[in-house]
Amino acid sequence: MVSRDPQPVGRPRESRVDQAITRAVRELLAEAGYARLTMDAVAGRAGIGKAAIYRRYATKQEMVFAAAVHGEALEVPADTGSLFGDLTALARVIISHLTNPAASTALLHLLGDIATDPTLAESFTTTLIEPEREGNAEVLRRAVRRGELEQLPDIDVFHAAFGGAVLSWLFLSRHDPHDLPERLARFACAALQASDSEAQDPVRPGREW
Amino acid sequence: MVSRDPQPVGRPRESRVDQAITRAVRELLAEAGYARLTMDAVAGRAGIGKAAIYRRYATKQEMVFAAAVHGEALEVPADTGSLFGDLTALARVIISHLTNPAASTALLHLLGDIATDPTLAESFTTTLIEPEREGNAEVLRRAVRRGELEQLPDIDVFHAAFGGAVLSWLFLSRHDPHDLPERLARFACAALQASDSEAQDPVRPGREW
Amino acid sequence: MVSRDPQPVGRPRESRVDQAITRAVRELLAEAGYARLTMDAVAGRAGIGKAAIYRRYATKQEMVFAAAVHGEALEVPADTGSLFGDLTALARVIISHLTNPAASTALLHLLGDIATDPTLAESFTTTLIEPEREGNAEVLRRAVRRGELEQLPDIDVFHAAFGGAVLSWLFLSRHDPHDLPERLARFACAALQASDSEAQDPVRPGREW
Amino acid sequence: MVSRDPQPVGRPRESRVDQAITRAVRELLAEAGYARLTMDAVAGRAGIGKAAIYRRYATKQEMVFAAAVHGEALEVPADTGSLFGDLTALARVIISHLTNPAASTALLHLLGDIATDPTLAESFTTTLIEPEREGNAEVLRRAVRRGELEQLPDIDVFHAAFGGAVLSWLFLSRHDPHDLPERLARFACAALQASDSEAQDPVRPGREW
DNA sequence: CATTAATCGAGACGGTACGTCTTGTCTTGCA
DNA sequence: TGCAAGACAAGACGTACCGTCTCGATTAATG
């Protein structure tokens, strides 16, 4: 019989500390930005010692990821009855997450560390990327069930383009996102339905060319 | 009459130093990564003093941007004769830039600083985003001239989705980019032609819905 | 009741670090001189971080003073049985301190900062000047007890002239100090006894004038 | 015939520059102290380029010495008719020089560099120490001529003690110098006359002991 | 109840990068 | 050639941050 959950010995960790860390990280990210998010500042704001943080997270990145990004998993928006409606709602959800001050600031900074931190990369994939891809897939499956699409499209490309579009719009082009959901949904909708009919009827491409 | 080109006084800056800085930054980024790109290392590698760097760039970010990102403007790929071909080529160009070791590492780290550094943001827009958008527009204009599209689509959304897709594919999903150009071009091509016909003939949408 | 000895909180400072700093400063002063005594060199030699130094001393001067000058208080030489003997011994002690490589190099450089650094000036007075003056006074009191002098002379002037003579001899005139103790002691002895008798018998000055 | 004063070629140096340097050094020493006396500050204040300074002086020390210390040679005070009077006047001259803000600040800082800069040491000796010693000797020779002393005492020791006393009084003990001339002159006078009579009449020491 | 072991806040530690400053040299164009 | 302006290489300065460690006190579960 394997020993699991080795009986903890000694004083148990206080959940108060976990909460204080998360709270402090989010507040500091929103108030002062990532640049002034130091471990000492977090400990000071949370009223705890630095050791209590490092007992939970091995690095600053891990802490920030856990406190500001993790748990922000995208919920799949409710069925609106149409692919266009679902995609609009999906875009709104992504935008709302990426415009959250704490999460977005942290996200962009952590992105750079992914290349050299396999653990962080793994967390990103498991916690954010995969669930989001699954959410996208769910929206597309609905459209298939509804009859709007004959079959599932290239989900990976769709996922990259849809999420990537919001990312690029907000943080590279830095445009106003207020009418992005409709415009992006229209674009994506067209792409999906066109590739769908093309895939079904390869002899009749979208247009003669 | 305004006085322009104010007569320079004193010893002029040496272009040798500018080149040495750029070269050192790129080498160090490729060799050691952003984390070990220190100002002292740059100065040492370039055989110059730190003051010579700070005389040119106010911050490390500015230096890295100028040395590793600036001048990496995307060239518009040659006309391949078809929208699909052009988009495939465009994706290849973007991928090749984003997989360049120096540029990509730097880019992701700088991204996080854009939010709090208006100067950096301005540089990004002027140097990278706008030229790239213009390149995308040129590809689309070719398709219009060719007759593949009736009219120009929503360029901003296309730009965000196309570039964002590559970004997301490489750095968020971390997939292999070898077949991305074709898959992405197919997706984008479909979207463009579908929205195009839809816009031209609103009574006959791509499919019944 | 006043609270004193406020309960120390947090990790206490390690005396090992204090000793390492002191040792490193002295070694570097003796080996390389004041000019090459850098904070980084001290930290490196001591095997500690620079922060550990700045946690203890606000400035380089303070560190050097504490490490190389403080604690070098002049011991009063043992009673030799005569004023002349005591003064000779006193001169020897002063010379040995001022020719100590670490202390002397530091001393001269710190001297210049006294004018603009009240804290340093205070330290100098308390730690060096006052004890030395007291040592001089003790030697003179012995002579009074012995009967060599009727009463204590102008101690301030004696102190300035005796110590100042060594200082000037070594660092301004840069003479060899080997026979200075006897010559200086003879001079001072004469001055003291002459002023003494003059003070006792003002009608009969040392000589007619 | 030896070639002397090698015919200067090219544009002659402007004395305006020499004066501006000297003036700037003295002003800055008096205003801001030695710590803020930088070569750039001197050049800026003087309205000249740094090269013009380094064309004249090889190092900062040399410049400071030349501008603030050199030319401050002690004039021998006029004969007052008595040794006591002459010594009082001599002390006053030394004090007035050492309390000059520019000279004194510079002097103390340069002192520390003497140990490692033979050129500076040579300048000190030639320019300051020797003339001062000669001035002291002149005062003593007057006393011999006057009959106050039978023969010249140990001039080196006297010189060290007299000048050193003022140095120590002002910069180590940091006492008020207002009554120092009289007190020091009385002390020195007694010393000189006592050693004098002792040397003349060794069987009758200053006092019986 | 006493022991044990891990927790807690506080803060010192080694290491290292930052951006600024200073020194002494060099390079422009002008006089 | 001298000069003002200012760039240059070298490197020290004092600050800040990270992740680790140490202190005395606290807090359950175990013996």
Side-chain angles (χ1 to χ4, degrees):
Chain A
M1 178 182 172
V2 292
S3 73
R4 40 142 97 200
D5 280 341
Q7 196 61 15
V9 175
R11 176 176 176 175
R13 293 193 183 162
E14 298 178 20
S15 64
R16 171 183 65 84
V17 172
D18 296 80
Q19 292 162 15
I21 293 173
T22 300
R23 179 193 176 86
V25 170
R26 290 185 181 162
E27 286 179 6
L28 286 168
L29 276 177
E31 287 171 24
Y34 192 89
R36 266 173 287 185
L37 181 80
T38 68
M39 298 307 268
D40 287 274
V42 171
R45 170 74 63 113
I48 59 170
K50 278 205 293 176
I53 302 178
Y54 282 103
R55 214 172 283 122
R56 290 164 170 77
Y57 312 108
T59 65
K60 181 182 174 181
Q61 282 80 23
E62 224 176 87
M63 176 194 73
V64 173
F65 180 82
V69 179
H70 188 75
E72 297 288 324
L74 295 170
E75 68 275 18
V76 184
D79 192 331
T80 61
S82 74
L83 177 57
F84 180 83
D86 279 8
L87 291 178
T88 307
L90 187 60
R92 285 211 184 89
V93 170
I94 299 176
I95 290 170
S96 88
H97 276 89
L98 290 184
T99 49
N100 167 307
S104 68
T105 312
L107 195 80
L108 288 169
H109 274 95
L110 294 177
L111 225 52
D113 294 322
I114 283 186
T116 52
D117 184 344
T119 305
L120 185 60
E122 178 63 21
S123 300
F124 252 87
T125 300
T126 308
T127 312
L128 288 184
I129 310 304
E130 282 303 330
E132 187 181 301
R133 196 196 107 110
E134 185 47 36
N136 289 11
E138 171 59 20
V139 165
L140 298 181
R141 278 195 296 266
R142 277 185 205 156
V144 172
R145 270 188 248 117
R146 231 180 258 126
E148 289 180 280
L149 297 178
E150 291 283 339
Q151 58 177 42
L152 283 174
D154 188 334
I155 292 182
D156 285 331
V157 168
F158 172 78
H159 173 216
F162 202 81
V166 179
L167 202 67
S168 178
W169 189 272
L170 292 174
F171 301 122
L172 290 179
S173 301
R174 298 190 343 274
H175 291 145
D176 187 310
H178 83 276
D179 62 349
L180 178 61
E182 288 77 16
R183 291 168 71 180
L184 181 57
R186 187 171 308 125
F187 179 83
C189 221
L192 292 168
Q193 292 172 336
S195 7
D196 189 46
S197 59
E198 187 181 334
Q200 287 305 305
D201 187 5
V203 300
R204 194 180 59 80
R207 287 174 65 85
E208 61 283 357
W209 47 284
Chain B
M1 177 181 172
V2 291
S3 73
R4 40 147 97 196
D5 278 341
Q7 191 65 14
V9 172
R11 178 177 177 175
R13 297 196 180 161
E14 298 180 21
S15 62
R16 171 184 64 83
V17 171
D18 296 81
Q19 291 162 16
I21 293 173
T22 300
R23 180 193 177 85
V25 170
R26 290 184 180 163
E27 287 178 7
L28 287 168
L29 275 178
E31 287 172 24
Y34 192 90
R36 263 172 287 184
L37 181 80
T38 69
M39 299 306 269
D40 287 274
V42 171
R45 170 76 63 114
I48 60 170
K50 277 204 292 178
I53 302 178
Y54 283 104
R55 210 173 286 120
R56 290 165 169 76
Y57 311 109
T59 64
K60 184 181 174 182
Q61 282 79 25
E62 221 175 273
M63 176 194 72
V64 173
F65 178 81
V69 180
H70 187 77
E72 296 288 323
L74 296 169
E75 67 276 20
V76 183
D79 193 331
T80 62
S82 74
L83 178 57
F84 181 82
D86 279 8
L87 291 178
T88 307
L90 187 60
R92 286 212 183 88
V93 169
I94 298 175
I95 290 171
S96 89
H97 275 90
L98 290 184
T99 49
N100 165 308
S104 67
T105 313
L107 195 79
L108 288 171
H109 276 96
L110 294 177
L111 226 52
D113 294 322
I114 285 185
T116 52
D117 185 343
T119 306
L120 185 61
E122 178 65 21
S123 299
F124 251 88
T125 300
T126 308
T127 312
L128 289 183
I129 310 305
E130 281 303 329
E132 188 181 299
R133 196 196 106 110
E134 184 48 34
N136 289 11
E138 171 58 20
V139 165
L140 298 181
R141 278 195 295 266
R142 278 184 204 157
V144 171
R145 272 188 245 117
R146 236 181 251 126
E148 289 181 276
L149 296 178
E150 291 283 339
Q151 60 177 42
L152 283 174
D154 188 334
I155 293 183
D156 285 331
V157 168
F158 172 78
H159 172 219
F162 202 81
V166 178
L167 202 67
S168 178
W169 189 272
L170 291 174
F171 301 123
L172 289 178
S173 302
R174 300 192 339 278
H175 291 144
D176 188 311
H178 84 276
D179 62 350
L180 179 60
E182 288 78 14
R183 290 168 72 181
L184 180 57
R186 187 172 310 126
F187 179 83
C189 221
L192 292 168
Q193 292 172 335
S195 7
D196 189 46
S197 60
E198 186 183 336
Q200 287 304 306
D201 186 6
V203 298
R204 194 179 57 80
R207 285 176 65 86
E208 62 282 356
W209 49 283
Chain C
M1 179 183 171
V2 291
S3 73
R4 41 148 98 196
D5 277 340
Q7 189 66 12
V9 171
R11 178 177 177 175
R13 298 199 178 158
E14 297 179 22
S15 63
R16 172 184 64 85
V17 171
D18 295 80
Q19 291 163 16
I21 294 173
T22 299
R23 180 191 175 88
V25 169
R26 289 184 181 164
E27 286 179 6
L28 286 168
L29 275 177
E31 288 172 23
Y34 191 89
R36 264 173 287 184
L37 181 80
T38 68
M39 300 306 267
D40 286 276
V42 172
R45 171 75 64 114
I48 60 170
K50 277 205 290 178
I53 302 177
Y54 284 106
R55 212 172 284 123
R56 290 166 168 75
Y57 311 108
T59 64
K60 185 180 173 180
Q61 282 80 27
E62 221 175 272
M63 177 193 72
V64 173
F65 178 80
V69 180
H70 188 76
E72 297 288 323
L74 296 168
E75 66 276 21
V76 184
D79 193 330
T80 62
S82 75
L83 177 57
F84 180 83
D86 280 6
L87 290 178
T88 307
L90 187 60
R92 287 213 182 87
V93 169
I94 299 176
I95 289 171
S96 90
H97 275 90
L98 290 182
T99 50
N100 164 308
S104 67
T105 312
L107 195 81
L108 287 170
H109 277 95
L110 294 177
L111 227 51
D113 295 321
I114 284 185
T116 52
D117 185 343
T119 306
L120 186 60
E122 177 64 20
S123 299
F124 251 88
T125 301
T126 308
T127 312
L128 289 183
I129 311 304
E130 282 303 330
E132 187 180 301
R133 196 196 106 110
E134 183 47 34
N136 290 12
E138 171 58 21
V139 165
L140 298 181
R141 277 194 296 265
R142 279 186 203 154
V144 171
R145 270 188 247 117
R146 237 182 251 122
E148 290 181 278
L149 296 178
E150 290 284 339
Q151 59 177 44
L152 283 174
D154 187 335
I155 293 183
D156 286 330
V157 167
F158 172 78
H159 172 218
F162 202 81
V166 179
L167 202 66
S168 177
W169 189 272
L170 291 174
F171 302 121
L172 289 178
S173 302
R174 300 194 334 282
H175 291 143
D176 188 311
H178 84 276
D179 62 349
L180 178 60
E182 287 77 15
R183 291 168 71 181
L184 181 57
R186 186 173 310 124
F187 178 83
C189 223
L192 290 168
Q193 292 172 334
S195 9
D196 189 47
S197 60
E198 184 182 338
Q200 286 306 305
D201 187 5
V203 300
R204 192 180 58 80
R207 285 176 67 87
E208 60 284 353
W209 48 283
Chain D
M1 176 184 171
V2 292
S3 75
R4 40 141 102 192
D5 280 342
Q7 192 62 17
V9 174
R11 177 177 175 177
R13 294 191 183 163
E14 297 178 19
S15 65
R16 169 184 65 85
V17 172
D18 297 79
Q19 292 162 14
I21 294 173
T22 300
R23 179 193 176 85
V25 170
R26 290 183 180 165
E27 286 178 5
L28 285 168
L29 276 177
E31 288 171 23
Y34 192 89
R36 267 173 286 187
L37 182 80
T38 68
M39 299 307 268
D40 286 275
V42 172
R45 170 74 65 114
I48 60 171
K50 279 204 294 175
I53 301 177
Y54 282 103
R55 211 171 285 121
R56 290 165 170 76
Y57 312 108
T59 64
K60 181 182 174 181
Q61 282 79 24
E62 223 176 88
M63 176 194 74
V64 172
F65 180 82
V69 180
H70 188 75
E72 297 288 322
L74 295 169
E75 67 277 18
V76 184
D79 192 331
T80 62
S82 75
L83 177 57
F84 180 84
D86 279 7
L87 290 178
T88 307
L90 187 60
R92 286 211 183 88
V93 169
I94 299 175
I95 290 171
S96 88
H97 276 88
L98 289 183
T99 50
N100 166 309
S104 67
T105 311
L107 195 81
L108 288 170
H109 276 94
L110 293 176
L111 226 51
D113 295 323
I114 284 185
T116 52
D117 185 344
T119 307
L120 184 61
E122 177 64 22
S123 299
F124 252 88
T125 300
T126 309
T127 313
L128 288 184
I129 310 304
E130 282 302 330
E132 187 181 302
R133 197 196 107 109
E134 184 47 36
N136 289 10
E138 171 59 21
V139 165
L140 297 181
R141 279 195 296 265
R142 280 186 202 152
V144 172
R145 272 189 246 114
R146 234 182 253 123
E148 288 181 279
L149 296 177
E150 291 284 340
Q151 59 177 40
L152 282 175
D154 187 334
I155 292 183
D156 285 330
V157 168
F158 172 78
H159 172 217
F162 202 81
V166 179
L167 202 66
S168 178
W169 188 271
L170 291 175
F171 301 122
L172 290 179
S173 302
R174 298 187 348 272
H175 290 145
D176 187 311
H178 84 276
D179 63 349
L180 178 60
E182 287 77 14
R183 292 167 70 180
L184 180 57
R186 186 170 310 123
F187 179 84
C189 219
L192 290 167
Q193 292 172 335
S195 9
D196 189 47
S197 59
E198 186 181 335
Q200 287 305 305
D201 186 4
V203 300
R204 192 179 58 80
R207 285 173 68 84
E208 61 283 353
W209 49 284

